[in-house]
Amino acid sequence: MAEYTATVAWQCRGGDFLDNRYSRGHEWRFDGGLTVPASASPEIVPLPMSVAENVDPEEAFVASLSSCHMLFFLSLAAKRGIVVASYVDTASGYMEKDTEGRMAMTRVTLRPNATYAGDSVPDMEQLERLHHRAHELCFIANSVRTEVVTDIVA
């Protein structure tokens, strides 16, 4: 078993707390020393109570799925002798009411686009198998109910 931690810290810095007009800006602190400015999404909490340039939980959710998928894809490719030169995923998450009528991230679409070096450039069938296996292995994807779709960019 492995344990992962993060510290989420917020402090009231003005605004009317009881009127719900306070800043949602806060920090995510990680054990390696990185601090990430975070906030509620401006889609959910209007400006100026949210901070548009900060990362919001919904973006982080999409990024964590994309990152996990990419890391497994890279590992699988390396084991098969496929040299990945670059990898970019313009992933999207979709928030809507779920089957129980609650707001939820119901679908995340990954759009991985990799370039390859050397002689072992995978064909579409190999890419589909690699991405399918990466999805099966991704710890984050295995931890959520959200539909995760991979739309391979070739």
Side-chain angles (χ1 to χ4, degrees), residues 10 12 14-24 44-50:
W10 173 88
C12 190
D16 191 338
F17 187 80
L18 295 180
D19 257 353
N20 215 23
R21 299 195 54 77
Y22 56 90
S23 175
R24 278 26 173 226
I44 297 167
V45 177
L47 298 170
M49 281 91 59
S50 60

Side-chain angles (χ1 to χ4, degrees), residues 11-112:
Q11 185 172 351
C12 190
R13 299 191 192 286
D16 191 338
F17 187 80
L18 295 180
D19 257 353
N20 215 23
R21 299 195 54 77
Y22 56 90
S23 175
R24 278 26 173 226
H26 58 284
E27 293 180 343
W28 297 342
R29 300 178 192 148
F30 297 96
D31 60 1
L34 181 66
T35 297
V36 175
S39 175
S41 168
E43 296 288 323
I44 297 167
V45 177
L47 298 170
M49 281 91 59
S50 60
V51 184
E53 55 272 7
N54 290 11
V55 176
D56 62 62
E58 295 79 13
E59 291 169 321
F61 179 77
V62 172
S64 68
L65 282 163
S66 174
S67 181
C68 183
H69 182 93
M70 178 198 68
L71 293 168
F72 275 108
F73 177 85
L74 295 175
S75 175
L76 292 167
K79 288 177 185 173
R80 286 162 180 75
I82 299 168
V83 179
V84 180
S86 68
Y87 183 108
V88 176
D89 182 0
T90 54
S92 300
Y94 303 92
M95 180 97 69
E96 60 190 355
K97 288 189 178 180
D98 66 10
T99 56
E100 297 169 9
R102 297 180 300 190
M103 290 303 288
M105 191 71 73
T106 60
R107 186 181 73 232
V108 172
T109 300
L110 307 178
R111 294 179 190 86

